[in-house]
């Protein structure tokens, strides 16, 4: 499972830990791991659930898996047989995160918990950075109706390309695939034609800029700029720019 269903940082020197009541051998292993951190420990209310869905235990009673956005805390409540612990856990939160420094809002998390996680699990994500002028580094090179194959501008030297990393975009749906070999895309895809005139390149870039989010355009550029070695190994011929990555 995820560690955020068991422990959570309270500050840089302190962690909150579920008040587990498991088998002695499990508790010994867990407590030994916690002690090794050298951090201060705050026991936090926890009520294990025996409920299962599709063979997996639910996350009912796991209050430590709350969501925090700045001063706002969205805190799970589960109701029914958890009502008593709901109140105890909420009171504990109000002492650890007192008003007016924090705002605690409760939410019924019963339906979420059936999937094995609670609020931190279902809101955690990694932001994708926005790269200024990323669109200028993406070169549309082949087109087939609303499908476009794009490469990194540095891979085009004004002459036919044996192969390089490319990404297929759907202009209509604003979707894109993972990087792959340009040569293999052309080999297994029919109907692609060269995108040559500068005005056509500008037009396609304008459509991409209008239809795709800035984060997606930045992501496309990043994947073309620094493809994985697995992607490079798929290439029929490796451009000089990408040889530096695999050395």
């Amino acid at each position: 499972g995820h560690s955020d269903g068991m422990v959570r940082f309270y500050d840089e020197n302190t962690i909150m830990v579920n008040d587990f009541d498991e088998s002695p051998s499990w508790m010994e292993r867990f407590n030994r791991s916690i002690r090794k951190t050298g951090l201060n420990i705050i026991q936090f209310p926890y009520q294990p659930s025996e409920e299962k869905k599709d063979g997996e235990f639910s996350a009912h009673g796991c209050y430590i898996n709350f969501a925090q956005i700045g001063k706002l805390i969205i805190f799970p409540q589960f109701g029914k047989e958890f009502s008593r612990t709901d109140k105890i856990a909420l009171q504990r939160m109000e002492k650890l995160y007192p008003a007016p420094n924090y705002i605690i809002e409760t939410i019924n998390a019963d339906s979420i918990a059936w999937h094995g996680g609670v609020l931190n699990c279902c809101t955690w994500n990694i932001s994708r950075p926005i790269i200024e002028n990323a669109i200028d580094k993406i070169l549309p090179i082949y087109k087939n109706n609303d499908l476009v194959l794009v490469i990194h501008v540095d891979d085009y030297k004004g002459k036919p390309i044996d192969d390089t990393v490319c990404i297929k975009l759907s202009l209509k749906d604003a979707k894109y695939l993972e990087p792959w070999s340009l040569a293999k895309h052309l080999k297994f895809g029919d109907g692609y034609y060269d995108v040559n005139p500068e005005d056509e390149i500008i037009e396609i870039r304008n459509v991409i800029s209008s239809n795709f989010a800035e984060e997606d355009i930045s992501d496309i550029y990043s994947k073309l700029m620094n493809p994985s070695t697995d992607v490079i190994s798929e290439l029929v011929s490796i451009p000089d720019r990408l040889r530096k990555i695999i050395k």
Side-chain angles (χ1 to χ4, degrees):
H2 298 170
S3 62
D4 58 359
M6 306 173 74
V7 298
R8 186 186 191 106
F9 271 99
Y10 178 67
D11 59 35
E12 61 182 13
N13 299 310
T14 309
I15 52 174
M16 301 157 65
V17 180
N18 278 343
D19 190 9
F20 287 116
D21 184 18
E22 303 289 340
S23 68
S25 60
W26 189 95
M27 291 299 301
E28 173 58 28
R29 292 195 304 273
F30 179 75
N31 289 331
R32 188 187 312 126
S33 298
I34 295 299
R35 286 195 298 269
K36 284 182 179 179
T37 67
L39 298 167
N40 301 319
I41 298 170
I42 297 175
Q43 295 290 337
F44 198 74
Y46 172 70
Q47 182 177 337
S49 171
E50 298 300 320
E51 300 284 356
K52 287 186 177 182
K53 184 174 183 179
D54 298 327
E56 299 291 337
F57 283 105
S58 79
H60 288 84
C62 185
Y63 300 93
I64 208 167
N65 201 279
F66 59 86
Q68 182 175 0
I69 307 96
K71 295 183 177 181
L72 173 65
I73 293 172
I74 305 175
F75 193 67
Q77 301 280 267
F78 303 99
K80 299 179 181 177
E81 68 267 32
F82 298 93
S83 296
R84 179 177 176 275
T85 316
D86 281 353
K87 294 179 181 179
I88 294 173
L90 180 57
Q91 290 171 354
R92 184 74 165 131
M93 279 296 295
E94 290 171 343
K95 289 183 179 180
L96 291 171
Y97 297 89
N101 294 330
Y102 296 94
I103 300 169
I104 301 174
E105 296 285 354
T106 59
I107 187 172
N108 188 309
D110 175 69
S111 60
I112 299 173
W114 283 112
H115 298 280
V118 200
L119 300 174
N120 193 71
C121 285
C122 71
T123 58
W124 185 89
N125 60 79
I126 298 174
S127 64
R128 289 182 293 180
I130 295 175
I131 301 171
E132 188 177 358
N133 298 326
I135 189 63
D136 297 332
K137 298 292 185 179
I138 297 171
L139 179 65
I141 193 163
Y142 289 100
K143 191 173 186 293
N144 179 4
N145 295 319
D146 72 317
L147 300 179
V148 177
L149 302 180
V150 298
I151 65 172
H152 192 285
V153 292
D154 291 348
D155 293 340
Y156 181 68
K157 305 299 181 182
K159 58 184 179 179
I161 302 171
D162 292 329
D163 199 10
T164 188
V165 174
C166 83
I167 294 178
K168 181 162 74 172
L169 313 182
S170 171
L171 300 180
K172 180 180 178 181
D173 300 329
K175 294 181 180 179
Y176 58 100
L177 301 182
E178 289 299 305
W180 200 42
S181 158
L182 174 64
K184 291 181 179 178
H185 264 304
L186 295 175
K187 179 179 180 180
F188 298 109
D190 296 326
Y192 284 101
Y193 68 86
D194 294 5
V195 177
N196 280 324
E198 185 65 26
D199 57 348
E200 187 175 14
I201 292 173
I202 293 172
E203 180 184 352
I204 294 173
R205 280 177 170 161
N206 287 339
V207 173
I208 294 172
S209 297
S210 298
N211 293 2
F212 287 76
E214 288 182 299
E215 294 88 349
D216 289 332
I217 296 173
S218 298
D219 188 44
I220 292 166
Y221 164 70
S222 296
K223 289 178 176 180
L224 292 173
M225 181 67 185
N226 297 295
S228 69
T229 54
D230 289 341
V231 173
I232 297 174
S233 69
E234 289 280 334
L235 301 182
V236 175
S237 176
I238 303 174
D240 292 339
R241 179 181 72 87
L242 298 179
R243 291 184 185 279
K244 300 174 184 178
I245 297 178
I246 57 177
K247 285 183 179 180

